[in-house]
Amino acid sequence: MPLGYTPEPTGPLDRLYRSISRYASHRMAGGADRQATAEALQGFRRAQRLAYDAVEHVAAQLLPGMTEREAASLLADYLRERGTERFLHRPFAWFGDHSRFDGYSGYGDYHPSDRPLEQGAAAILDVSPILDGYIGDVGYAVSVGPNSELEKAREFMLVLRSEIPAMFASAMTPAEIWHAVNRRITGAGYDTVHAKYPHCVLGHRVFRMKVRKGSSARVGFRAFGWFSLDTNLAFLRLGPSAALSPEHIGRKLGLWAIEPHIGWPGGGCKFEEILVVEEKRCYWLDDDVPHVRNGKRGAP
């Protein structure tokens, strides 16, 4: 799978991958499209709130000169100290033009680096703790000092957030939603940075993992190094139905971690949170989240 998205396949292997993705997304879901119980929703909400607590806590500690690796380590420490048994993926921190993935040539480049944070630069923190088996996967964009481009981007992202549930409630397929969001982003003058994610995902399914204490083994290379071995296996069982990609034409029901990521020259912005898709309604799992609160009070 090449880095980034092109309307037409880049070659025979990409064409084959897209065909398999369309077929498999329609044929398999692995039970991830079942409606979540009230108990499960509470579990996912607790995990998501813990994740937001972590990014807010570390965001308040960011200083010019701190590296991406240092910020990611602070995120991991905070979560482990508060009951996280393991992660869906390792904590990420992307600073400056890394927040729009400039200069990245492959998925292995996405790991936190020694890049220092600069005054006023955009920074994205992304964590996914697993708490009592429930996944909370969030992304949060901040800056140390004023950043007018980031402020405008966050305002746009709140508008986009308000529009996404109606897309899922419509007859649109996940692929059609992906392309509609892409048009919305590019129409506003931004780059679609999540098109550079593995499988170009706008989001992915979340599900309950088996409760297990202790550290998780990771496959330490390329994109697989993002995720623990057990979560890689869980995604493999779900197949292409797990990814909200430009090729997904299957069912939308279930829980999705939606993560639109946009960019402009020199910086990027994203949010990520869980969307609940049921037969008769579609809604964000929790509206008491930092980017919504900040938007209501106009806070940086």
Side-chain angles (χ1 to χ4, degrees):
M1 183 70 183
L3 185 65
Y5 177 76
T6 57
E8 297 297 325
T10 57
L13 289 178
D14 190 24
R15 185 174 294 106
L16 176 62
Y17 164 79
R18 296 187 191 203
S19 297
I20 292 173
S21 294
R22 286 192 292 271
Y23 177 82
S25 70
H26 181 64
R27 295 290 180 179
M28 60 190 295
D33 58 348
R34 289 194 293 263
Q35 182 167 321
T37 65
E39 178 184 1
L41 292 177
Q42 286 292 340
F44 284 110
R45 190 175 292 110
R46 287 193 302 272
Q48 180 169 278
R49 287 186 172 179
L50 174 62
Y52 276 123
D53 288 345
V55 294
E56 285 194 292
H57 175 80
V58 172
Q61 299 182 63
L62 293 178
L63 293 170
M66 180 180 289
T67 68
E68 293 173 344
R69 280 197 179 97
E70 289 170 336
S73 180
L74 289 174
L75 289 166
D77 291 345
Y78 181 95
L79 291 166
R80 289 194 183 101
E81 289 167 3
R82 287 159 179 82
T84 299
E85 62 251 30
R86 60 200 196 281
F87 303 103
L88 174 67
H89 62 69
R90 63 182 298 187
F92 293 120
W94 298 304
F95 295 164
D97 58 7
H98 276 191
S99 64
R100 56 165 279 142
F101 301 160
D102 280 351
Y104 289 9
S105 60
Y107 296 135
D109 296 332
Y110 289 58
H111 298 293
S113 73
D114 288 325
R115 165 169 292 232
L117 180 63
E118 297 180 0
Q119 181 74 20
I124 294 176
L125 306 176
D126 191 315
V127 297
S128 60
I130 300 176
L131 184 66
D132 299 325
Y134 295 102
I135 296 169
D137 198 353
V138 312
Y140 188 51
V142 297
S143 63
V144 177
N147 184 318
S148 59
E149 287 293 339
L150 178 60
E151 287 306 305
K152 288 191 295 184
R154 290 199 292 203
E155 291 174 4
F156 168 73
M157 294 293 261
L158 286 176
V159 175
L160 185 61
R161 180 186 187 273
S162 72
E163 296 171 348
I164 287 174
M167 297 182 191
F168 275 84
S170 74
M172 297 169 70
T173 66
E176 289 169 336
I177 293 171
W178 193 100
H179 287 286
V181 170
N182 181 60
R183 289 191 298 271
R184 188 76 174 84
I185 290 170
T186 57
Y190 294 107
D191 298 322
T192 303
V193 181
H194 58 259
K196 297 182 179 180
Y197 287 13
H199 312 293
C200 306
V201 297
L202 171 61
H204 57 82
R205 293 189 182 275
V206 293
F207 38 83
R208 188 154 190 217
M209 300 287 296
K210 184 178 180 181
V211 177
R212 182 171 60 78
K213 301 297 182 181
S215 60
S216 297
R218 283 195 300 114
V219 180
F221 63 92
R222 310 301 291 171
F224 290 103
W226 290 23
F227 299 93
S228 64
L229 179 59
D230 50 354
T231 53
N232 267 315
L233 292 174
F235 277 127
L236 284 173
R237 285 194 295 270
L238 293 175
S241 68
L244 205 173
S245 74
E247 314 302 330
H248 192 313
I249 60 173
R251 287 166 63 82
K252 296 176 288 187
L253 298 178
L255 303 182
W256 295 89
I258 303 297
E259 51 182 329
H261 189 160
I262 67 174
W264 61 92
C269 178
K270 76 174 286 186
F271 73 81
E272 183 174 11
E273 56 181 304
I274 294 175
L275 185 73
V276 183
V277 184
E278 299 175 348
E279 288 281 2
K280 296 184 178 179
R281 62 177 182 151
C282 178
Y283 56 95
W284 296 107
L285 177 65
D286 194 349
D287 282 319
D288 185 20
V289 293
H291 49 288
V292 173
R293 293 196 302 268
N294 292 344
K296 287 179 179 177
R297 64 175 180 253

